[in-house]
Amino acid sequence: MPNFLQCFPVPKALRDCVESQKDVLVVQPCLGEVLSPSNMHSRFSTLLWLEELNAEREVREFTIIGALLRKGGVYLHLEVLGLAEGRPNLNIGDRVLLKRLHNDGMAMEYVSYVAEINEEDVSLRVNSDFHHSYLGEPLDVEFTYNRLTMRRCHNALELTKHFGESK
């Protein structure tokens, strides 16, 4: 299926700056300037990326170490305390990484997707081979940030680039 929405990746310099907790104005001086038509796009793009970096950090805080999933007919079920209050904020289709550490130190990573959300229980769609082979061993669960909303915001911002220009 074609994807017409651009990616709008977070610039590496901005990500590195935030992760090393340095002054963002060094990398994006437009944030310190008075808002004007000439800097509007770069300023709002930067603010969206900063919001995204914060959301990524927040969702990582909900990583579960040694989770025990329950097998269902089609899904694996995971209890997530606080989910009913929106912590973490999960939606149908979100990607969740399941990690298993082997005795030799190698880690296997499996990708699952949120299929259903009920109170504090999440149903995860996984590869059928993994579903059948899962024997209830503890897994580390890492929630991921879904960038779709931010990509739509960036796309909307792109559409404003030519506002106010005479034809």
Side-chain angles (χ1 to χ4, degrees):
M1 191 154 126
N3 184 355
F4 299 106
L5 191 59
Q6 294 180 49
C7 284
F8 303 101
V10 176
K12 183 179 180 342
L14 182 61
R15 181 179 294 279
D16 292 346
C17 178
V18 169
E19 288 175 357
S20 63
Q21 299 180 353
K22 294 190 176 153
D23 186 358
V24 175
L25 290 176
V26 173
V27 177
Q28 293 292 335
C30 64
L31 292 178
E33 300 169 1
V34 174
L35 184 62
S36 68
S38 64
N39 70 11
M40 179 185 76
H41 184 268
S42 62
R43 188 169 175 163
F44 285 123
S45 291
T46 300
L47 291 171
L48 286 171
W49 283 317
L50 289 171
E51 179 65 25
E52 181 175 348
L53 291 169
N54 185 60
E56 285 178 2
R57 182 189 54 76
E58 283 183 346
V59 80
R60 278 194 305 267
E61 292 175 4
F62 293 100
T63 295
I64 302 171
I65 305 297
L68 299 174
L69 283 69
R70 297 178 321 280
K71 250 184 170 176
V74 179
Y75 304 122
L76 292 179
H77 302 279
L78 171 68
E79 182 181 16
V80 182
L81 300 177
L83 185 62
E85 293 83 34
R87 308 250 335 135
N89 180 20
L90 295 180
N91 296 296
I92 304 296
D94 283 357
R95 190 169 63 120
V96 178
L97 301 177
L98 306 173
K99 297 180 180 183
R100 180 187 317 171
L101 190 62
H102 291 283
N103 294 337
D104 61 2
M106 293 289 294
M108 286 296 295
E109 187 173 283
Y110 305 93
V111 177
S112 67
Y113 294 92
V114 175
E116 295 175 359
I117 301 171
N118 297 303
E119 295 296 316
E120 295 196 336
D121 190 70
V122 178
S123 300
L124 299 173
R125 186 180 75 239
V126 296
N127 173 292
S128 62
D129 291 338
F130 177 71
H131 185 271
H132 294 300
S133 67
Y134 180 68
L135 301 174
E137 62 273 17
L139 299 171
D140 294 345
V141 178
E142 190 176 295
F143 301 101
T144 61
Y145 178 69
N146 187 335
R147 297 193 67 239
L148 183 59
T149 299
M150 282 299 172
R151 289 173 56 206
R152 288 178 176 158
C153 289
H154 279 285
N155 190 61
L157 190 55
E158 283 290 314
L159 297 174
T160 68
K161 272 185 166 178
H162 304 293
F163 281 7
E165 290 181 3
S166 57
K167 292 184 179 184

